[in-house]
């Protein structure tokens, strides 16, 4: 580690070295209320200066707007960053709530061209299948993704929200560099089969929502009453009503540990995720999202916080006591297929 930048790790076997913490860019364009674009652009630069080099987006975020927003930053720093985006989740203009999954080869070929155009780049460093449709064999969908690697449009492949068996099946078609799934003090279903498979295959795990969409930081206690209209968290079961009250009580040890370290609850939650690397013997690069530079610096500070065995023991029971599902409809998650 030099110039006070965060440490780096290898992304997948033989892949580029990236900062041990990345940046999830979804919230810049949608889902978490209004965004100050100037502040968001400043945050991107702050992240890079701190050693964050993995920047994560998807074609669904803002229906392509997030990729377009990132394009100037990508152009200015193309050789310094690792750019990740995703395909597979379809939306319909006439039905804002519609979410479909498309893993067909023809769709993949079309989707990558659209992402390349919006990102204004010739190659995507890490291209994820955002969600898996079991009705489409991996031999077809991952095979089409592998063709993109051969054509020089994509460098590495990733999967999101897949089971261990699915990860192994896909990896047999083409090496998978990264597995992106929700992983936090509140969400540990990824540990059932996907993490062991990642360890076996040398796949980097990229936890999304490592801060429980802000709930673990204490930034809100009940989404239904505190957050603005259009905020996705108002529709997520664990952040509302009785579930939210139950779950807020689970954060007591997080705050206790934070106080002992002179740290924030966010830093404790992120340090727990970062230390999954040692616990499981797998490379872990969480991608907390933020639109504010001071929060970005707070988050990267967690990479330098080490929790003791006793503190980890205090945090261990939390996930098993969480009330409510991650999503109102869990059918598109790996948990639904375990």
């Amino acid at each position: 580690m030099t110039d006070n930048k965060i440490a780096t790790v290898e992304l997948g076997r033989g892949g580029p070295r990236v900062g041990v913490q990345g940046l999830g860019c979804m919230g810049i364009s949608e889902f978490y209320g209004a965004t100050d674009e100037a502040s968001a652009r400043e945050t991107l630069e702050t992240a890079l200066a701190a050693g964050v080099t993995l920047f994560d987006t998807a074609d669904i975020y803002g229906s392509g707007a997030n990729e377009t927003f990132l394009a100037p930053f990508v152009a200015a720093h193309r050789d310094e960053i690792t750019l990740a985006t995703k395909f597979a989740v379809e939306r319909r203009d006439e039905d804002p709530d519609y979410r479909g999954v498309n893993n067909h080869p023809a769709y993949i070929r079309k989707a990558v061209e659209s992402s390349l155009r919006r990102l204004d780049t010739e190659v995507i460093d890490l291209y994820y299948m955002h969600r898996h449709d079991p009705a489409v064999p991996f031999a077809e969908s991952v095979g089409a993704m592998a063709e993109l690697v051969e054509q020089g449009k994509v460098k590495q492949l990733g999967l999101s929200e897949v089971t261990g068996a699915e990860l192994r099946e896909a990896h047999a078609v083409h090496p998978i560099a990264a597995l992106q799934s929700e992983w936090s003090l509140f969400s540990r279903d990824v540990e059932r089969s996907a993490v062991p498979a990642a360890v076996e295959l040398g796949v980097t795990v990229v936890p999304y929502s490592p801060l429980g969409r802000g709930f673990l930081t204490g930034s809100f206690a009940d989404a239904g009453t505190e957050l603005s209209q259009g905020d996705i968290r108002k529709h997520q079961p664990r952040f509302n009503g009785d579930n939210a009250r139950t779950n807020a009580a689970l954060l007591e040890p997080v705050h206790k540990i934070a106080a002992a370290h002179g740290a924030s609850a966010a830093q404790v939650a992120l340090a727990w995720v970062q230390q999954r690397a040692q616990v499981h013997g797998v490379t872990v690069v969480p991608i907390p999202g933020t639109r504010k530079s001071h929060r970005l610096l707070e988050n990267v500070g967690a990479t330098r916080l080490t929790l003791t065995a006793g503190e980890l023991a205090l945090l261990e029971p939390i996930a098993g006591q969480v009330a409510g599902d991650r999503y109102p409809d869990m059918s598109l998650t790996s948990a639904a297929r375990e």
Side-chain angles (χ1 to χ4, degrees):
M1 196 185 318
T2 60
D3 300 324
N4 209 34
K5 291 187 176 182
I6 61 175
T8 62
V9 291
E10 189 176 78
L11 182 64
R13 285 179 175 163
R17 295 197 69 83
V18 298
V20 74
Q21 187 180 111
L23 179 64
C25 299
M26 180 183 80
I28 293 173
S29 299
E30 195 179 11
F31 302 115
Y32 295 149
T35 292
D36 180 329
E37 291 196 359
S39 176
R41 292 200 181 282
E42 179 185 348
T43 300
L44 295 176
E45 298 291 345
T46 300
L48 185 59
V52 173
T53 57
L54 177 63
F55 292 83
D56 183 272
T57 182
D59 59 7
I60 186 183
Y61 301 159
S63 297
N66 197 242
E67 291 180 326
T68 300
F69 178 86
L70 287 175
F73 175 75
V74 172
H77 303 288
R78 192 65 192 91
D79 295 336
E80 303 169 76
I81 69 171
T82 296
L83 176 63
T85 192
K86 315 177 198 72
F87 74 90
V89 182
E90 290 188 291
R91 306 177 75 167
R92 293 174 177 170
D93 292 339
E94 67 275 15
D95 182 0
D97 296 324
Y98 175 80
R99 300 289 186 274
V101 177
N102 195 331
N103 292 169
H104 292 286
Y107 177 81
I108 296 170
R109 297 182 188 107
K110 179 180 177 181
V112 74
E113 296 297 341
S114 295
S115 287
L116 288 167
R117 182 179 66 255
R118 286 189 292 263
L119 289 163
D120 193 22
T121 188
E122 294 181 353
V123 62
I124 294 164
D125 299 313
L126 176 59
Y127 198 44
Y128 286 102
M129 178 189 293
H130 205 165
R131 291 294 186 269
H132 172 49
D133 177 5
V136 182
F138 271 125
E140 295 181 15
S141 51
V142 179
M145 295 169 72
E147 291 175 4
L148 304 179
V149 177
E150 294 171 1
Q151 294 164 3
K153 297 175 181 178
V154 169
K155 291 183 179 179
Q156 290 184 293
L157 303 183
L159 301 173
S160 181
E161 288 286 352
V162 296
T163 67
E166 290 167 344
L167 179 56
R168 290 186 181 92
E169 183 181 352
H171 193 82
V173 177
H174 186 280
I176 302 299
L179 165 69
Q180 184 174 139
S181 289
E182 186 164 354
W183 201 4
S184 73
L185 282 168
F186 270 21
S187 302
R188 297 180 61 178
D189 47 88
V190 69
E191 295 174 21
R192 293 176 197 159
S193 69
V195 168
V199 173
E200 171 190 323
L201 301 171
V203 174
T204 295
V205 181
V206 180
Y208 73 81
S209 297
L211 294 174
R213 301 183 187 275
F215 192 86
L216 290 169
T217 73
S219 64
F220 70 98
D222 188 326
T225 60
E226 298 176 39
L227 302 182
S228 63
Q229 290 300 318
D231 194 305
I232 191 175
R233 294 168 291 187
K234 292 176 76 72
H235 307 288
Q236 294 180 317
R238 62 179 47 168
F239 304 138
N240 292 273
D242 289 342
N243 286 345
R245 285 185 284 277
T246 295
N247 295 335
L250 298 176
L251 298 178
E252 181 179 353
V254 177
H255 294 297
K256 179 180 178 181
I257 293 167
H261 285 275
S264 67
Q267 288 175 324
V268 171
L270 281 170
W272 181 89
V273 175
Q274 300 276 180
Q275 284 182 241
R276 297 302 91 192
Q278 288 73 46
V279 172
H280 294 277
V282 66
T283 302
V284 177
V285 183
I287 50 169
T290 184
R291 299 171 287 192
K292 299 176 180 179
S293 289
H294 73 280
R295 292 298 184 198
L296 185 287
L297 294 174
E298 177 184 348
N299 290 346
V300 297
T303 68
R304 303 179 180 98
L305 173 62
T306 300
L307 305 179
T308 67
E311 289 166 343
L312 293 174
L314 286 175
L315 300 173
E316 182 65 24
I318 291 177
Q321 302 174 59
V322 172
D325 284 332
R326 297 196 271 130
Y327 295 98
D329 178 3
M330 290 287 286
S331 64
L332 297 181
T333 69
S334 59
R337 300 190 300 277
E338 288 281 5

